[in-house]
Amino acid sequence: MLAATYTQGKGFAITDVPKPEIHADELLVRVHATAICGTDVKIVRNGSRRAKDGQRLVLGHEFVGTIEAVGSGVTGYKTGMRIGVAPNFGCGRCEACKLNMANMCADYSAFGIDMDGSHTGFVRVPAAVIAQGNIAVLPENVAWDQAALAEPLSCVLNGQNSVDLKAGESVAVYGAGPMGLLHVALGAARGANPIVVADTNAERLGKAKEVGATVTVDSSRESVPERVKEATGGRGLDIVFTAVSVAQIVPEALQLLAPFGRICLFAGLLKGKSEVTLDANLIHYRNLVVTGTTGGCNADYRAAMDLIVSGRVDVRLVISHVMPMSKMGDAYELALAGKGLKIVMRGE
Ligand SMILES: [Zn+2]
Ligand SMILES: [Zn+2]
């Protein structure tokens, strides 16, 4: 079966790999839809932080499909069931794992990061993934392409929960890439208003409007603080999310907040480029909360899947391409060139 692979220390290749075999305590999943994530692109460029030297990894961690085979020791699952699989699973012993937050486990594993992932026809699901509750069972009428976005939406949901976004609160999102747009869509669904989005790409700002932004700012030629002042009658914002990996925006983003404001540093920054200078008095005198999130836990994944399946968050506008798995070379070419938004590959 065709697979998008990365061999640690050697590089990216689209190649044939054998269909995985499963043990008695495992599941085999036929992939129906799998999206390309910024993380996949990062691995192709810089390698995986968690893979061993020389290890060949099938990329991909955002996927949904049907159960193709059930190990003889597995109960509760049947062939043909439609499922989504949250990609991270933990050591099972640490504090984070006890809280069922594998995304915060120091010793986590994940599909497409340190074990074979979903940019191929079939995925082996190890016993720990089943035991930790990573599997969400999907309804009959699931729209595969959209359900594949439950994982990125789960990260966004985790970010918004971390600052307790409530209806009527004013929000700004830096960055109108796929993650920024999901922040806008989820923020709008939660009743945020106004929603200000800053980016330098006019096309992406147009998308942000379609997804639910009330004010868009081209930060290459407009001042974000000025536009925020206008949009909030001088008061400032309740919440800011950073969804772009640019360190300089963090000090500016902090200035946008009103008293009791919260900021979620949602985008990770490049290693060696993550130090910024913040005005501590802003945090002190305005009673601000500065936080950050990475990934999402299984509960976030299931909640995100519910939001998609129920139509409360419409992720269709965030999907720019749906391509068959046989065109995976073209799909990666687009992703590596930074073209489009979410690219979803369809299995058989
Ligand atoms: Zn992802
Ligand atoms: Zn752990």
Side-chain angles (χ1 to χ4, degrees):
M1 54 184 197
L2 205 62
T5 64
Y6 181 83
T7 305
Q8 191 80 333
K10 289 216 180 82
F12 175 70
I14 308 270
T15 182
D16 237 357
V17 303
K19 188 172 164 182
E21 311 254 323
I22 58 164
H23 294 114
D25 53 0
E26 298 179 335
L27 294 171
L28 186 68
V29 176
R30 177 188 288 267
V31 178
H32 283 276
T34 181
I36 301 181
C37 175
T39 302
D40 304 313
V41 171
K42 258 189 232 163
I43 293 175
V44 170
R45 293 213 176 102
N46 312 316
S48 168
R49 281 188 302 158
R50 303 191 67 84
K52 296 179 198 75
D53 228 22
Q55 181 182 350
R56 191 197 64 192
L57 204 59
V58 175
L59 296 168
H61 58 270
E62 302 177 359
F63 70 104
V64 288
T66 48
I67 297 179
E68 178 79 4
V70 181
S72 58
V74 178
T75 53
Y77 295 100
K78 289 199 295 273
T79 56
M81 267 181 157
R82 296 159 160 80
I83 60 167
V85 184
N88 308 318
F89 63 104
C91 70
R93 298 179 299 274
C94 72
E95 285 305 310
C97 283
K98 280 183 201 151
L99 294 168
N100 208 352
M101 292 176 74
N103 57 311
M104 295 306 294
C105 172
D107 196 19
Y108 81 99
S109 284
F111 293 97
I113 309 286
D114 62 358
M115 52 183 272
D116 282 347
S118 59
H119 290 165
T120 188
F122 295 91
V123 181
R124 181 181 69 89
V125 178
V129 175
I130 305 169
Q132 289 184 19
N134 288 48
I135 295 174
V137 177
L138 310 181
E140 291 280 316
N141 60 347
V142 62
W144 293 115
D145 313 343
Q146 297 170 42
L149 267 60
E151 193 275 336
L153 185 61
S154 76
C155 304
V156 166
L157 185 62
N158 184 25
Q160 298 206 353
N161 286 343
S162 77
V163 289
D164 190 24
L165 192 163
K166 293 185 288 291
E169 292 197 300
S170 52
V171 170
V173 180
Y174 276 89
M179 298 311 265
L181 293 175
L182 287 176
H183 266 297
V184 175
L186 181 61
R190 291 171 82 139
N193 188 43
I195 302 177
V196 182
V197 179
D199 200 292
T200 55
N201 179 321
E203 202 180 315
R204 288 188 165 192
L205 287 172
K207 273 276 181 206
K209 270 255 157 91
E210 290 180 58
V211 175
T214 55
V215 178
T216 55
V217 185
D218 180 345
S219 52
S220 68
R221 48 186 192 82
E222 296 176 284
S223 152
V224 182
E226 282 304 316
R227 295 294 310 279
V228 163
K229 237 182 236 165
E230 248 173 65
T232 60
R235 175 184 170 269
L237 294 162
D238 296 309
I239 295 169
V240 179
F241 298 104
T242 60
V244 60
S245 296
V246 180
Q248 302 93 281
I249 62 168
V250 179
E252 180 184 278
L254 196 68
Q255 289 171 29
L256 306 180
L257 291 170
F260 307 110
R262 292 94 77 197
I263 180 168
C264 173
L265 304 178
F266 180 80
L269 300 174
L270 279 179
K271 224 178 172 182
K273 292 194 174 161
S274 62
E275 288 194 11
V276 294
T277 304
L278 296 180
D279 182 348
N281 270 350
L282 268 185
I283 300 171
H284 171 76
Y285 284 110
R286 290 191 198 165
N287 206 336
L288 305 181
V289 175
V290 179
T291 186
T293 55
T294 176
C297 67
N298 287 339
D300 297 321
Y301 182 81
R302 286 165 189 240
M305 189 64 87
D306 279 348
L307 287 168
I308 292 173
V309 168
S310 66
R312 270 177 293 157
V313 173
D314 186 352
V315 296
R316 281 176 296 184
L317 285 165
V318 182
I319 300 172
S320 60
H321 298 79
V322 179
M323 303 166 85
M325 204 91 83
S326 57
K327 292 260 160 57
M328 145 188 319
D330 298 343
Y332 263 89
E333 205 170 294
L334 283 169
L336 289 166
K339 291 204 177 117
L341 295 164
K342 268 304 203 191
I343 299 167
V344 177
M345 298 186 288
R346 289 295 306 262
E348 323 257 285

